[in-house]
Short mmCIF file of all heavy atoms in Angstrom, two decimals:
data_model
loop_
_atom_site.label_atom_id
_atom_site.label_comp_id
_atom_site.label_asym_id
_atom_site.label_seq_id
_atom_site.Cartn_x
_atom_site.Cartn_y
_atom_site.Cartn_z
N ARG X 195 103.80 103.95 93.91
CA ARG X 195 103.94 103.14 92.71
C ARG X 195 102.89 103.59 91.71
O ARG X 195 101.82 104.05 92.09
CB ARG X 195 103.73 101.67 93.06
CG ARG X 195 104.87 101.11 93.82
CD ARG X 195 104.46 99.80 94.44
NE ARG X 195 105.53 99.35 95.32
CZ ARG X 195 106.46 98.49 94.96
NH1 ARG X 195 106.45 98.00 93.75
NH2 ARG X 195 107.38 98.13 95.81
N ASP X 196 103.19 103.45 90.44
CA ASP X 196 102.28 103.96 89.42
C ASP X 196 101.06 103.05 89.31
O ASP X 196 101.18 101.87 89.02
CB ASP X 196 103.02 104.01 88.09
CG ASP X 196 102.40 105.02 87.17
OD1 ASP X 196 101.44 105.66 87.61
OD2 ASP X 196 102.87 105.16 86.06
N VAL X 197 99.86 103.58 89.54
CA VAL X 197 98.66 102.75 89.51
C VAL X 197 97.65 103.27 88.50
O VAL X 197 96.49 102.90 88.56
CB VAL X 197 98.00 102.66 90.90
CG1 VAL X 197 98.85 101.83 91.82
CG2 VAL X 197 97.76 104.02 91.48
N LEU X 198 98.08 104.14 87.58
CA LEU X 198 97.12 104.62 86.58
C LEU X 198 96.76 103.48 85.64
O LEU X 198 97.60 102.70 85.21
CB LEU X 198 97.75 105.77 85.79
CG LEU X 198 98.01 107.04 86.58
CD1 LEU X 198 98.67 108.06 85.70
CD2 LEU X 198 96.72 107.57 87.13
N VAL X 199 95.46 103.39 85.32
CA VAL X 199 95.01 102.31 84.45
C VAL X 199 95.31 102.65 82.99
O VAL X 199 95.73 101.81 82.21
CB VAL X 199 93.52 102.04 84.66
CG1 VAL X 199 93.06 100.92 83.75
CG2 VAL X 199 93.28 101.68 86.11
N SER X 200 95.10 103.93 82.62
CA SER X 200 95.36 104.31 81.24
C SER X 200 96.26 105.54 81.24
O SER X 200 96.28 106.32 82.19
CB SER X 200 94.06 104.62 80.51
OG SER X 200 93.40 105.68 81.19
N ASP X 201 97.00 105.70 80.16
CA ASP X 201 97.89 106.83 80.02
C ASP X 201 97.09 108.13 80.01
O ASP X 201 96.03 108.21 79.38
CB ASP X 201 98.69 106.69 78.72
CG ASP X 201 99.87 107.63 78.71
OD1 ASP X 201 99.66 108.86 78.77
OD2 ASP X 201 100.99 107.12 78.66
N VAL X 202 97.58 109.13 80.70
CA VAL X 202 96.82 110.36 80.84
C VAL X 202 96.70 111.05 79.49
O VAL X 202 95.66 111.60 79.13
CB VAL X 202 97.50 111.28 81.86
CG1 VAL X 202 96.73 112.58 81.97
CG2 VAL X 202 97.57 110.61 83.20
N ILE X 203 97.75 111.03 78.67
CA ILE X 203 97.78 111.81 77.44
C ILE X 203 97.18 111.02 76.27
O ILE X 203 96.26 111.49 75.59
CB ILE X 203 99.22 112.23 77.12
CG1 ILE X 203 99.73 113.11 78.25
CG2 ILE X 203 99.27 113.00 75.81
CD1 ILE X 203 101.18 113.36 78.19
N THR X 204 97.66 109.78 76.05
CA THR X 204 97.23 109.05 74.87
C THR X 204 96.00 108.20 75.10
O THR X 204 95.33 107.82 74.15
CB THR X 204 98.36 108.15 74.38
OG1 THR X 204 98.68 107.23 75.44
CG2 THR X 204 99.59 108.94 74.02
N GLY X 205 95.67 107.87 76.35
CA GLY X 205 94.51 107.05 76.64
C GLY X 205 94.75 105.56 76.47
O GLY X 205 93.84 104.76 76.65
N GLU X 206 95.98 105.18 76.11
CA GLU X 206 96.27 103.76 75.98
C GLU X 206 96.38 103.09 77.34
O GLU X 206 96.75 103.75 78.32
CB GLU X 206 97.60 103.57 75.24
CG GLU X 206 97.55 104.04 73.80
CD GLU X 206 98.93 104.08 73.19
OE1 GLU X 206 99.89 103.78 73.92
OE2 GLU X 206 99.03 104.42 72.01
N PRO X 207 96.07 101.81 77.45
CA PRO X 207 96.26 101.12 78.73
C PRO X 207 97.74 101.07 79.11
O PRO X 207 98.60 100.86 78.26
CB PRO X 207 95.68 99.72 78.48
CG PRO X 207 95.60 99.59 77.02
CD PRO X 207 95.42 100.95 76.45
N VAL X 208 97.99 101.28 80.38
CA VAL X 208 99.36 101.38 80.86
C VAL X 208 99.85 100.01 81.27
O VAL X 208 99.07 99.20 81.79
CB VAL X 208 99.42 102.37 82.05
CG1 VAL X 208 100.73 102.30 82.76
CG2 VAL X 208 99.16 103.76 81.57
N ASP X 209 101.10 99.75 81.00
CA ASP X 209 101.73 98.51 81.44
C ASP X 209 101.69 98.45 82.96
O ASP X 209 102.26 99.30 83.64
CB ASP X 209 103.18 98.49 80.95
CG ASP X 209 103.91 97.29 81.47
OD1 ASP X 209 103.24 96.32 81.84
OD2 ASP X 209 105.15 97.33 81.50
N GLN X 210 100.98 97.46 83.50
CA GLN X 210 100.82 97.40 84.95
C GLN X 210 101.96 96.66 85.63
O GLN X 210 101.87 96.33 86.81
CB GLN X 210 99.50 96.72 85.30
CG GLN X 210 98.28 97.53 84.91
CD GLN X 210 98.15 98.80 85.70
OE1 GLN X 210 98.32 98.79 86.90
NE2 GLN X 210 97.86 99.90 85.04
N GLY X 211 103.02 96.38 84.90
CA GLY X 211 104.16 95.69 85.50
C GLY X 211 104.76 96.45 86.65
O GLY X 211 105.37 95.87 87.55
N LEU X 212 104.57 97.78 86.63
CA LEU X 212 105.20 98.58 87.68
C LEU X 212 104.62 98.29 89.05
O LEU X 212 105.29 98.50 90.05
CB LEU X 212 105.02 100.06 87.36
CG LEU X 212 105.98 100.63 86.34
CD1 LEU X 212 105.61 102.07 86.05
CD2 LEU X 212 107.39 100.56 86.86
N ILE X 213 103.36 97.86 89.13
CA ILE X 213 102.79 97.66 90.45
C ILE X 213 102.87 96.21 90.88
O ILE X 213 102.43 95.86 91.95
CB ILE X 213 101.33 98.14 90.53
CG1 ILE X 213 100.47 97.39 89.54
CG2 ILE X 213 101.23 99.61 90.32
CD1 ILE X 213 99.00 97.68 89.70
N GLU X 214 103.41 95.34 90.04
CA GLU X 214 103.55 93.96 90.48
C GLU X 214 104.82 93.81 91.28
O GLU X 214 105.81 94.48 91.03
CB GLU X 214 103.56 93.03 89.27
CG GLU X 214 102.17 92.90 88.66
CD GLU X 214 102.21 92.14 87.37
OE1 GLU X 214 103.25 91.53 87.09
OE2 GLU X 214 101.20 92.18 86.65
N LYS X 215 104.76 92.88 92.20
CA LYS X 215 105.88 92.81 93.15
C LYS X 215 107.09 92.11 92.56
O LYS X 215 108.19 92.34 92.96
CB LYS X 215 105.43 92.08 94.41
CG LYS X 215 104.56 92.95 95.27
CD LYS X 215 104.08 92.19 96.47
CE LYS X 215 103.12 93.05 97.28
NZ LYS X 215 102.41 92.28 98.27
N GLU X 216 106.87 91.24 91.60
CA GLU X 216 107.98 90.41 91.15
C GLU X 216 108.67 90.94 89.92
O GLU X 216 109.36 90.21 89.22
CB GLU X 216 107.48 88.99 90.90
CG GLU X 216 107.11 88.30 92.19
CD GLU X 216 106.43 86.98 91.94
OE1 GLU X 216 106.40 86.56 90.78
OE2 GLU X 216 105.93 86.41 92.91
N ARG X 217 108.49 92.22 89.62
CA ARG X 217 109.18 92.77 88.46
C ARG X 217 110.67 92.91 88.78
O ARG X 217 111.07 92.97 89.94
CB ARG X 217 108.61 94.13 88.11
CG ARG X 217 108.97 95.18 89.10
CD ARG X 217 108.14 96.41 88.94
NE ARG X 217 108.48 97.34 90.00
CZ ARG X 217 109.43 98.22 89.89
NH1 ARG X 217 110.15 98.31 88.80
NH2 ARG X 217 109.70 99.03 90.90
N ILE X 218 111.45 92.99 87.74
CA ILE X 218 112.90 93.18 87.92
C ILE X 218 113.16 94.67 88.14
O ILE X 218 112.69 95.49 87.36
CB ILE X 218 113.65 92.69 86.67
CG1 ILE X 218 113.33 91.22 86.43
CG2 ILE X 218 115.14 92.90 86.85
CD1 ILE X 218 113.87 90.71 85.13
N PRO X 219 113.85 95.04 89.19
CA PRO X 219 114.16 96.46 89.41
C PRO X 219 114.91 97.05 88.23
O PRO X 219 115.73 96.39 87.59
CB PRO X 219 115.00 96.44 90.66
CG PRO X 219 114.58 95.22 91.36
CD PRO X 219 114.27 94.22 90.31
N LEU X 220 114.61 98.31 87.95
CA LEU X 220 115.07 98.93 86.71
C LEU X 220 116.58 99.05 86.61
O LEU X 220 117.16 98.88 85.56
CB LEU X 220 114.46 100.34 86.60
CG LEU X 220 112.96 100.39 86.40
CD1 LEU X 220 112.49 101.81 86.53
CD2 LEU X 220 112.64 99.86 85.03
N LEU X 221 117.24 99.33 87.72
CA LEU X 221 118.65 99.69 87.63
C LEU X 221 119.58 98.57 88.05
O LEU X 221 120.76 98.79 88.21
CB LEU X 221 118.92 100.93 88.51
CG LEU X 221 118.16 102.17 88.09
CD1 LEU X 221 118.43 103.29 89.05
CD2 LEU X 221 118.57 102.58 86.70
N LEU X 222 119.03 97.36 88.26
CA LEU X 222 119.93 96.28 88.66
C LEU X 222 120.78 95.84 87.48
O LEU X 222 120.48 96.14 86.32
CB LEU X 222 119.12 95.09 89.15
CG LEU X 222 118.66 95.16 90.60
CD1 LEU X 222 118.09 93.83 91.01
CD2 LEU X 222 119.81 95.51 91.51
N ASP X 223 121.80 95.09 87.78
CA ASP X 223 122.65 94.55 86.73
C ASP X 223 121.87 93.45 86.00
O ASP X 223 121.58 92.41 86.57
CB ASP X 223 123.93 93.99 87.37
CG ASP X 223 124.92 93.58 86.31
OD1 ASP X 223 124.67 93.92 85.13
OD2 ASP X 223 125.92 92.95 86.65
N ARG X 224 121.53 93.69 84.72
CA ARG X 224 120.63 92.79 84.03
C ARG X 224 121.33 91.47 83.65
O ARG X 224 120.70 90.44 83.54
CB ARG X 224 120.09 93.44 82.76
CG ARG X 224 119.13 94.57 83.02
CD ARG X 224 117.94 94.05 83.79
NE ARG X 224 117.06 95.14 84.17
CZ ARG X 224 115.98 95.46 83.48
NH1 ARG X 224 115.66 94.80 82.42
NH2 ARG X 224 115.21 96.44 83.90
N SER X 225 122.63 91.50 83.37
CA SER X 225 123.28 90.33 82.79
C SER X 225 123.21 89.14 83.74
O SER X 225 122.87 88.02 83.33
CB SER X 225 124.73 90.67 82.46
OG SER X 225 125.38 91.18 83.60
N ALA X 226 123.45 89.39 85.03
CA ALA X 226 123.42 88.29 86.00
C ALA X 226 122.01 87.71 86.09
O ALA X 226 121.81 86.49 86.07
CB ALA X 226 123.88 88.78 87.36
N LEU X 227 121.01 88.62 86.10
CA LEU X 227 119.63 88.15 86.22
C LEU X 227 119.24 87.33 85.00
O LEU X 227 118.62 86.28 85.11
CB LEU X 227 118.71 89.36 86.35
CG LEU X 227 118.64 89.99 87.73
CD1 LEU X 227 117.89 91.28 87.67
CD2 LEU X 227 117.97 89.03 88.68
#
Side-chain angles (χ1 to χ4, degrees):
Chain X
R195 288 166 188 263
D196 204 1
V197 289
L198 293 178
V199 180
S200 59
D201 195 298
V202 179
I203 298 169
T204 60
E206 294 169 358
V208 168
D209 175 21
Q210 293 293 315
L212 280 176
I213 60 172
E214 287 173 12
K215 285 177 184 167
E216 291 171 8
R217 71 194 175 89
I218 302 172
L220 292 171
L221 299 176
L222 277 190
D223 187 10
R224 291 299 174 98
S225 55
L227 281 171

